[in-house]
């Protein structure tokens, strides 16, 4: 046999010997294990060092989070000092704030409450119901209650607190109010904005 043939055969044996056709059963070998293996307590595990035997410890009493400190209950929960829903927006409304609220509204609320807030979102075509915002109850609902629906959820509606941070929640609340006004303004109110109701009607009819 020529050297080339032997070399080729050897190469074939080496290559094929790597094909085991089944997964490795042994743990992988680490040349440099870094800190893959170490003595530690994972969550929910036991630690006899403590009297209660739990490895998880509660924060020391009086601990405050760094950064956003949620002490402003009106802002963070929409409640006043007596635990009632606030009746005012705790943040200033600007055009960009409303626009932001509208954007978030279209992302998170339209599937159920609909673009116009009339409860005719896509789910209404699938046999599910979400309420319209254009009823007296909804129009009279304090700001804090709308906030609470977003923050805590209500009955079958889940909470959106993780999708929306505190400013965004209020921006959506402001937008819901704007939607309500857009469907329920008197002629006087429309005139006060310098808009002719007759012209508006004509435009709508087009
Ligand atoms: C998955 C569907 C769904 C989505 C998405 C949804 N809602 Fe709702 N919402 C509901 C349903 C259903 C109810 C009625 C719950 C009940 O009272 O039984 C409701 C009720 C409400 C109410 C009335 C609360 C009250 O106290 O009666 C408000 C306000 C509201 N939603 C706002 C929002 C806002 C703002 C968003 C977007 C952040 C949103 N919803 C997203 C389904 C939804």
């Amino acid at each position: 046999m020529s050297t080339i043939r032997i070399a080729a055969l050897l190469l074939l044996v080496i290559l094929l010997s790597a094909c085991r056709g089944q997964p490795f059963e042994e743990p992988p070998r680490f040349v440099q294990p870094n800190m893959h293996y170490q003595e530690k307590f994972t969550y929910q595990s036991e630690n006899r060092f403590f009297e209660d035997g739990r490895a998880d410890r509660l924060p020391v009493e009086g601990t405050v989070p760094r950064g956003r400190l949620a002490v402003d209950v009106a802002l963070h929960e929409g409640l006043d000092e007596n635990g009632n829903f606030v009746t005012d927006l705790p943040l200033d409304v600007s055009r960009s704030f409303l626009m932001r609220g509208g954007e978030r509204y279209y992302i998170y609320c339209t599937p159920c409450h609909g673009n116009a807030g009339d409860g005719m979102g896509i789910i209404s075509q699938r046999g599910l119901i979400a309420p319209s915002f254009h009823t007296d109850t909804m129009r009279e609902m304090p700001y804090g209650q709308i906030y609470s629906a977003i923050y805590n959820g209500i009955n079958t509606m889940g909470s959106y607190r993780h999708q929306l941070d505190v400013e965004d929640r209020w921006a959506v609340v402001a937008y819901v109010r704007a939607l309500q006004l857009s469907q329920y303004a008197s002629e006087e109110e429309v005139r006060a904005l310098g808009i002719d109701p007759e012209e508006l009607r004509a435009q709508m009819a087009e």
Side-chain angles (χ1 to χ4, degrees):
M1 250 202 266
S2 72
T3 340
I4 293 190
R5 281 199 184 180
I6 293 173
L9 207 68
L10 212 66
L11 193 70
L12 210 66
V13 168
I14 292 170
L15 284 178
L16 287 179
S17 66
C19 306
R20 293 173 18 121
Q22 67 209 54
F24 232 71
E25 280 136 29
E26 277 147 48
R29 281 186 203 104
F30 287 94
V31 180
Q32 166 55 278
N34 291 321
M35 290 173 78
H36 287 288
Y37 303 105
Q38 53 181 295
E39 289 270 313
K40 66 181 173 197
F41 295 103
T42 52
Y43 48 85
Q44 308 269 332
S45 61
E46 193 187 60
N47 184 348
R48 289 272 138 229
F49 178 79
F50 296 108
E51 208 177 323
D52 62 5
R54 289 192 288 189
D56 304 284
R57 310 310 306 160
L58 287 171
V60 177
E61 208 178 312
T63 305
V64 288
R66 278 182 66 171
R68 292 200 165 191
L69 187 55
V71 282
D72 188 341
V73 184
L75 181 68
H76 290 272
E77 292 177 46
L79 300 173
D80 65 15
E81 57 274 17
N82 302 321
N84 298 322
F85 293 123
V86 295
T87 49
D88 258 326
L89 277 178
L91 294 172
D92 290 335
V93 183
S94 63
R95 193 185 168 83
S96 61
F97 184 72
L98 261 187
M99 298 292 272
R100 170 83 186 169
E103 187 201 25
R104 298 293 105 181
Y105 177 88
Y106 284 113
I107 296 172
Y108 294 113
C109 318
T110 38
C112 299
H113 293 284
N115 283 1
D118 53 5
M120 297 308 281
I122 190 80
I123 65 154
S124 66
Q125 294 169 28
R126 304 280 188 278
L128 298 164
I129 330 168
S132 160
F133 295 136
H134 310 300
T135 59
D136 287 341
T137 328
M138 290 285 192
R139 280 190 283 263
E140 282 152 24
M141 191 171 274
Y143 284 97
Q145 194 171 347
I146 306 177
Y147 180 89
S148 166
I150 303 174
Y151 184 69
N152 301 307
I154 171 142
N155 300 329
T156 47
M157 175 185 150
S159 158
Y160 282 80
R161 73 166 81 173
H162 298 297
Q163 289 88 334
L164 300 163
D165 70 11
V166 60
E167 275 98 25
D168 279 350
R169 288 177 215 140
W170 285 112
V172 171
V173 171
Y175 188 76
V176 168
R177 273 283 121 96
L179 267 185
Q180 290 177 323
L181 275 176
S182 78
Q183 309 293 308
Y184 198 72
S186 65
E187 291 203 358
E188 287 74 60
E189 283 167 318
V190 173
R191 266 201 204 91
L193 294 169
I195 301 166
D196 181 6
E198 291 310 321
E199 232 171 78
L200 200 62
R201 255 189 219 110
Q203 270 178 22
M204 305 272 273
E206 270 172 23

